[in-house]
Amino acid sequence: MAATAEPAEPAAAVVGTEERLEQVTEEELNAVAARIARARRVAVFTGAGMSAESGIPTFRGEGGLWDTFSPSVYGNVPGLALTALFRPGRFAAFLRAIVGTFLGAKPNAGHMALALLEKLVPTIIVTQNVDGLHQAAGSSTVWEVHGSLLRMRCSSCAGICDLTKDQLGDVADKFLNEGWLLPRLITKKGMPPCPTCGGILRPDVVMFGESLPAAAWEASAAACRAADVLIVVGTSASVYPAAELPQMAFKAYKIEINPAPAFPYANCHLKGNASDVLPRLVEAVAMYHNGHVETSSSDEDVGVTANYNDEADSGDADGADAEGAHKQEGI
């Protein structure tokens, strides 16, 4: 696994402090929007908090799925297979918690805002989520470092098959209604075989201890390294190895959007949820982009001073790289 840089000190300055519960002000948004409007390349790193607002439960944190289902059992293929064999009811409950909410989820206002952002500034999304909501919102360049529930991967040839939500629902029904047990998996009954080699298909989702997809990792690392601005949304960026990616944005001005500061490399923190902050932020970027507000090369000219942490840019450029195996520490 690649080495990781040490968190920069001091921690990110907060735009909208913990004592202030009101929304981020227009002045604060405009200061950040000016930087985004000037950027040549923007990278956005999203996590479970982004999808939670669409009704998809998070894994970690208070009330997350790992509070109910142990990650040591449900976060890996052997554990899931044994649960399906010996505790099919419990396995069905986990499957409903994952797939049931996913099938009905739709992009929220934050997803839609990011889709609009790429029409204003060259934008690449790097997501830890497996729900496909960024693409459903219209974002065209999305790298899924933890895979996707809308794909199946062959356990033999590693071939990929795309799924629609309806097809995924049909697969889930086989588990829930036909008693999906380990012998059925071994004999390939109940699921369509790989169209290339006839092997067993499994969800194309990275489980504990598995390697992240190489192509998505390399493209995500390149996007973060090239970015002038990095936006971290709905994640603490603490699950490795994916957490290495925002640390690679050495030259970027780093913006965190979360209810509370969690990303220690951030230059500034916009307090709030993605569906609240992102539409307002992208609207402000559009004002600059359309020439209604002039951008300035000087941060002091954009209306807010001392609202960011310059020292957070001092990460060690040699501290992380995209080479080598990247094993999932956890979903």
Side-chain angles (χ1 to χ4, degrees):
M1 184 184 298
T4 58
E6 291 297 319
E9 295 293 342
V14 178
V15 177
T17 63
E18 291 303 303
E19 289 76 21
R20 287 173 46 201
L21 300 181
E22 67 267 23
Q23 287 186 326
V24 177
T25 68
E26 294 304 314
E27 184 181 34
E28 292 163 343
L29 277 177
N30 287 336
V32 176
R35 284 184 174 269
I36 298 174
R38 295 198 303 265
R40 292 175 299 170
R41 301 179 186 88
V42 174
V44 184
F45 186 72
T46 69
M50 187 93 196
S51 295
E53 297 182 72
S54 293
I56 296 177
T58 63
F59 285 91
R60 297 168 179 264
E62 185 176 356
L65 286 175
W66 293 151
D67 284 351
T68 304
F69 302 96
S70 171
S72 63
V73 175
Y74 295 89
N76 59 84
V77 172
L80 285 171
L82 289 173
T83 302
L85 178 61
F86 294 109
R87 302 182 66 191
R90 186 67 172 158
F91 178 83
F94 178 71
L95 189 63
R96 287 191 185 96
I98 296 290
V99 178
T101 53
F102 167 76
L103 292 177
K106 296 181 179 180
N108 60 55
H111 294 105
M112 303 304 290
L114 289 178
L116 174 59
L117 180 63
E118 76 171 32
K119 301 181 186 302
L120 305 173
V121 183
T123 301
I124 293 176
I125 294 175
V126 177
T127 187
Q128 301 169 88
N129 300 332
V130 297
D131 48 49
L133 291 180
H134 285 298
Q135 294 93 323
S139 292
S140 61
T141 306
V142 181
W143 293 105
E144 298 166 311
V145 295
H146 288 163
S148 174
L149 282 171
L150 292 175
R151 292 192 299 268
M152 301 294 284
R153 183 172 79 246
C154 179
S155 300
S156 299
C157 72
I160 298 295
C161 300
D162 291 329
L163 292 177
T164 65
K165 279 194 173 184
D166 288 341
Q167 290 171 327
L168 178 63
D170 291 341
V171 171
D173 285 342
K174 291 183 182 296
F175 279 94
L176 296 173
N177 301 327
E178 299 181 14
W180 188 265
L181 299 178
L182 191 59
R184 292 173 59 83
L185 177 64
I186 293 173
T187 58
K188 309 178 189 177
K189 295 179 180 178
M191 278 187 67
C194 172
T196 301
C197 72
I200 299 171
L201 295 174
R202 53 155 285 181
D204 186 30
V205 175
V206 179
M207 307 291 281
F208 281 55
E210 295 182 336
S211 296
L212 273 61
W217 175 268
E218 291 167 4
S220 298
C224 289
R225 285 177 171 142
D228 304 303
V229 169
L230 172 73
I231 307 173
V232 176
V233 189
T235 177
S236 62
S238 61
V239 177
Y240 286 85
E244 295 176 24
L245 292 167
Q247 297 174 31
M248 295 179 188
F250 306 116
K251 68 178 184 178
Y253 181 82
K254 304 170 188 67
I255 303 159
E256 178 188 15
I257 300 173
N258 273 320
F263 179 53
Y265 296 88
N267 297 107
C268 81
H269 171 250
L270 296 179
K271 181 180 179 179
N273 294 322
S275 62
D276 296 325
V277 177
L278 277 171
R280 295 175 60 209
L281 179 60
V282 174
E283 182 180 7
V285 174
M287 294 290 287
Y288 283 101
H289 180 79
N290 294 329
H292 297 300
V293 181
E294 291 187 4
T295 62
S296 168
S297 60
S298 171
D299 298 327
E300 287 76 19
D301 292 338
V302 295
V304 175
T305 60
N307 67 342
Y308 56 89
N309 172 20
D310 281 329
E311 294 187 32
D313 284 328
S314 60
D316 179 3
D318 296 322
D321 60 49
E323 300 300 325
H326 299 273
K327 298 290 186 179
Q328 171 72 315
E329 184 178 279
I331 297 174

